[in-house]
Amino acid sequence: MAKVGKYIGAKFEDSLQLIKSALEWAEKQDVERLRRFLLESANIPLYCFSSGGSSASNDYLALLYEANKGMAKSLSPLAMASISDEALKSAKIIITSGSGQGVDVAYTVHRAATVNPKGVCGVTSRNDEHCILINTLKKVTTNWFLYNTPNLHGFLGTNSIIAMFGIFYKAFTNDNDIVSKLNFDLSPTHCYSYAPRVEGNIPSIKEIRNYIVLYSGWSRPVAIDFENKMIESGTASVQLCDYRSFCHGRFIFISKHLENSAFVLFLTPRDKEYATRLILEAKTFRGQRDVFPRNTAIIKIETELDSPLASIDLMIKMQVCFNDIAKANRFSDDDDPCNPDNPNGINKEFPRSLDWGNMATIGSLNIGNVPSAKGSLKSVSRKIAINYDPKKSIGDIARGNGVSIATVRKFIRDKNIDRNRDEKLNTYNEVWYQYIKDSDVSRAELARKLKMSVNTVNYYLGIEANKIELEDGKVGMAIENPTVKELRRSIPALRERYIKFCKVRDKYPNLTAREYLKRLNLSDDKKGKNLAMVVLFTQMTEFKYKFKDRDIELIPN
């Protein structure tokens, strides 16, 4: 039996155990710059481009954007070929790709970077010489975001999608507490039900070949991912439809194929009453007879949440349901969604890598000005979205965005940005970074290097970042330099460890490095970092270090 090939050993069931850790990972990610891109000029339309497994998380992103203030569309890369340059120029563009490479990414990022360099951003989990997404965007913008999403590395995107749901949720809500608000009970009875609509016999899951999936609102991206997984794993046929569109004739399919079809109803508090009246308890207006057969097979996946977290809750439960469906419909004993059987040996790399040719260059839908009774319809003029970098001067921000200084100042006022606080935090970062780098120089020499007064240097070396307070009602865009923050924590700890070592050495001057390690109650770790540290301690008469490659190195003397 032919297999996909490179995913042997991966099991989809294993990915279920990683769901919680994927969201815990998302909670810890820095999303401030992504948040600014999405929330600044939120009334400007947003195009979200992705393909494959990323389409579900991008649809969630579009839904969040629309639930905020704007209008958004989640599209495939080829759909960009049908969008005019003028439409792309007047919108924001986000491109999401796990690998950041391939013909899909190459087309979307090159066109977006050419047509709208100030309004494009990219999200990926890879950054190397092959990452077309980041390497292209680096030339025109700082709006590229690297998140090394956890994944099982199977044929289907699993935990990486859950993780991106968490990233986008956090970016819009500024909520660092995701996991505690969710229930991670992965038992099938908690996650879904499979039963007749009212009563009677229904087919086993293994006999179901058609799933009619109904969704609305926060369940939409989950329905999209369910369809992706079912089709890409070759499990069964899926039809997607929102609750209202289903009313317009689509019920005929299940009427003809009831013996091997089932509804999948995604339910939130917002949808539940309508779904109940439409299907679960549907009665004719006259005669009060059942509309659907009483033994219609129905899978219900439900959440009590009525917020953006509803999508994540439903996504968790859907993956449990999908896993059970996939296990019941295995093509062979070792068929698994993470490494599905491919009985006819179709090469995935060929369709994925096929160049689009003329499809992407001929016939873009740009029809110009359309005549009307009163002249012509002009494109709507929109404000330019300003890429505000708190580390830059107002003049540099203006030049980088091609606008006047007055426009940048107005942007700062309109957004209630505490520019004074941002400048102070930037100075704090600059002083501490140089202080850590030049640990041996005097403060007077440090002040000369920084072109500041000694009093200024002493002031910032004497405070914590969180003491630089915001003005009431304003927001801060600058953040403490992560390197500075980490090193400010690690240097005193390293110095304290050296002091303890010196006390032990004074008492036992002739011990080996390993014996000192034992006396200090430090483990002899596999990488030998603690042992190397103690060896350097034995060669030092005073605590000295140097700053190299954003890290601290001890200096023997």
Side-chain angles (χ1 to χ4, degrees):
M1 179 65 65
K3 303 287 285 183
V4 172
K6 58 181 178 179
Y7 304 108
I8 295 173
K11 297 291 184 184
F12 185 84
E13 195 162 20
D14 297 336
S15 71
L16 302 180
Q17 308 307 316
L18 303 176
I19 289 174
K20 185 176 181 180
S21 62
L23 289 171
E24 288 172 337
W25 170 88
E27 285 182 338
K28 299 172 185 175
Q29 301 310 299
D30 182 358
V31 298
E32 187 56 38
R33 288 176 52 244
L34 175 61
R35 174 177 170 80
R36 290 206 303 267
F37 176 84
L38 293 169
L39 296 189
E40 288 177 4
S41 303
N43 60 318
I44 293 178
L46 175 69
Y47 287 117
C48 310
F49 291 104
S50 64
S51 56
S54 297
S55 57
S57 54
N58 252 27
D59 192 81
Y60 183 49
L61 168 62
L63 197 60
L64 287 163
Y65 195 82
E66 290 182 318
N68 182 33
K69 293 180 182 178
M71 180 179 71
K73 293 178 69 176
S74 178
L75 299 165
S76 73
L78 186 57
M80 181 186 265
S82 298
I83 301 173
S84 70
D85 285 354
E86 290 305 312
L88 293 173
K89 287 177 184 177
S90 63
K92 292 193 286 187
I93 301 167
I94 188 166
I95 302 166
T96 306
S97 169
S99 66
Q101 59 180 315
V103 293
D104 292 349
V105 171
Y107 172 68
T108 50
V109 72
H110 283 127
R111 187 171 176 209
T114 301
V115 172
N116 190 0
K118 294 175 185 175
V120 63
C121 87
V123 178
T124 184
S125 59
R126 178 176 178 176
N127 183 17
D128 56 27
E129 68 275 14
H130 303 297
C131 184
I132 299 170
L133 185 60
I134 289 182
N135 293 336
T136 303
L137 290 180
K138 276 182 177 179
K139 300 173 184 177
V140 297
T141 182
T142 58
N143 286 330
W144 50 270
F145 308 104
L146 178 67
Y147 296 109
N148 293 312
T149 51
N151 195 9
L152 189 67
H153 302 297
F155 181 71
L156 294 180
T158 54
N159 301 103
S160 59
I161 297 172
I162 284 276
M164 285 312 304
F165 269 55
I167 287 290
F168 291 145
Y169 169 82
K170 183 178 176 182
F172 276 94
T173 64
N174 207 24
D175 185 358
N176 295 318
D177 187 13
I178 303 173
V179 171
S180 69
K181 296 182 174 72
L182 297 167
N183 186 340
F184 291 90
D185 181 352
L186 301 180
S187 63
T189 54
H190 171 75
C191 294
Y192 71 95
S193 65
Y194 177 59
R197 189 182 71 87
V198 179
E199 60 186 2
N201 295 322
I202 56 174
S204 67
I205 286 286
K206 187 173 183 179
E207 297 174 85
I208 301 296
R209 306 312 308 148
N210 308 295
Y211 289 87
I212 295 87
V213 179
L214 302 187
Y215 63 85
S216 179
W218 294 119
S219 64
R220 186 181 74 194
V222 187
I224 288 171
D225 193 55
F226 179 78
E227 191 269 351
N228 281 342
K229 285 180 165 54
M230 292 286 283
I231 299 303
E232 290 194 20
S233 63
T235 298
S237 174
V238 174
Q239 301 173 34
L240 293 182
C241 188
D242 82 358
Y243 280 102
R244 192 60 206 167
S245 292
F246 174 77
C247 301
H248 293 267
R250 287 178 171 259
F251 47 81
I252 295 298
F253 182 88
I254 202 163
S255 183
K256 289 186 174 181
H257 301 277
L258 188 67
E259 71 283 354
N260 62 0
S261 298
F263 280 116
V264 177
L265 305 182
F266 286 106
L267 300 171
T268 70
R270 182 171 172 265
D271 321 315
K272 190 170 182 179
E273 181 188 352
Y274 188 75
T276 299
R277 290 192 293 123
L278 175 66
I279 294 174
L280 298 175
E281 298 177 4
K283 301 281 187 179
T284 59
F285 296 121
R286 294 183 180 180
Q288 290 295 293
R289 291 180 289 106
D290 284 305
V291 174
F292 293 93
R294 296 171 72 84
N295 65 331
T296 302
I298 293 178
I299 292 176
K300 288 195 295 184
I301 303 176
E302 186 171 356
T303 180
E304 296 178 357
L305 300 173
D306 194 17
S307 71
L309 277 175
S311 298
I312 299 178
D313 189 33
L314 288 172
M315 177 67 87
I316 295 169
K317 294 171 179 175
M318 179 277 287
Q319 295 215 56
V320 173
C321 179
F322 166 72
N323 181 57
D324 286 354
I325 295 173
K327 284 195 296 184
N329 286 274
R330 284 177 176 167
F331 199 80
S332 67
D333 290 342
D334 62 347
D335 188 21
D336 187 88
C338 281
N339 189 26
D341 286 350
N342 185 6
N344 286 291
I346 299 172
N347 187 334
K348 176 185 178 182
E349 296 305 319
F350 175 78
R352 185 175 184 175
S353 304
L354 185 65
D355 193 282
W356 300 350
N358 290 340
M359 290 178 71
T361 57
I362 294 178
S364 292
L365 301 182
N366 188 351
I367 58 178
N369 292 330
V370 182
S372 70
K374 296 181 180 179
S376 60
L377 298 174
K378 304 293 184 181
S379 297
V380 178
S381 62
R382 298 187 180 275
K383 286 184 178 180
I384 297 173
I386 291 180
N387 183 15
Y388 176 83
D389 187 343
K391 296 189 290 296
K392 292 182 178 179
S393 69
I394 290 177
D396 287 340
I397 295 172
R399 283 187 289 275
N401 286 275
V403 298
S404 67
I405 288 177
T407 299
V408 176
R409 291 191 187 280
K410 183 177 185 303
F411 174 85
I412 291 170
R413 288 195 302 272
D414 291 345
K415 299 296 182 183
N416 288 323
I417 296 171
D418 192 340
R419 180 70 184 177
N420 183 51
R421 178 263 186 190
D422 283 357
E423 289 175 346
K424 286 182 179 179
L425 191 53
N426 290 336
T427 304
Y428 168 94
N429 287 332
E430 187 179 1
V431 169
W432 270 101
Y433 192 92
Q434 195 68 34
Y435 177 73
I436 292 169
K437 183 178 180 181
D438 296 329
S439 58
D440 290 331
V441 305
S442 67
R443 294 198 176 185
E445 177 62 23
L446 192 65
R448 282 193 290 274
K449 285 191 173 187
L450 293 168
K451 298 181 181 178
M452 300 176 186
S453 69
V454 175
N455 286 340
T456 299
V457 170
N458 286 334
Y459 170 78
Y460 284 103
L461 290 178
I463 65 171
E464 301 291 332
N466 58 14
K467 296 299 182 183
I468 304 175
E469 296 180 348
L470 282 167
E471 187 177 332
D472 286 346
K474 292 196 172 184
V475 297
M477 305 301 281
I479 61 173
E480 183 179 3
N481 184 318
T483 301
V484 168
K485 186 176 183 179
E486 174 62 21
L487 294 179
R488 284 202 64 188
R489 181 196 63 78
S490 60
I491 291 172
L494 196 58
R495 182 183 283 109
E496 181 66 24
R497 188 169 283 181
Y498 175 73
I499 292 171
K500 288 181 179 179
F501 166 79
C502 288
K503 290 179 180 179
V504 174
R505 182 174 59 184
D506 289 343
K507 191 172 182 180
Y508 306 100
N510 298 317
L511 298 181
T512 66
R514 289 191 183 278
E515 289 170 335
Y516 281 129
L517 197 67
K518 189 174 181 180
R519 292 276 179 179
L520 292 169
N521 293 320
L522 296 175
S523 63
D524 189 358
D525 56 310
K526 291 182 179 180
K527 294 185 178 180
K529 288 185 177 180
N530 286 338
L531 182 61
M533 175 192 68
V534 170
V535 169
L536 288 169
F537 281 172
T538 62
Q539 301 171 31
M540 297 170 66
T541 55
E542 61 178 311
F543 182 80
K544 285 188 176 182
Y545 66 86
K546 62 182 178 179
F547 182 73
K548 184 178 180 182
D549 296 331
R550 296 176 180 259
D551 205 352
I552 292 299
E553 288 189 0
L554 297 171
I555 303 176
N557 47 46

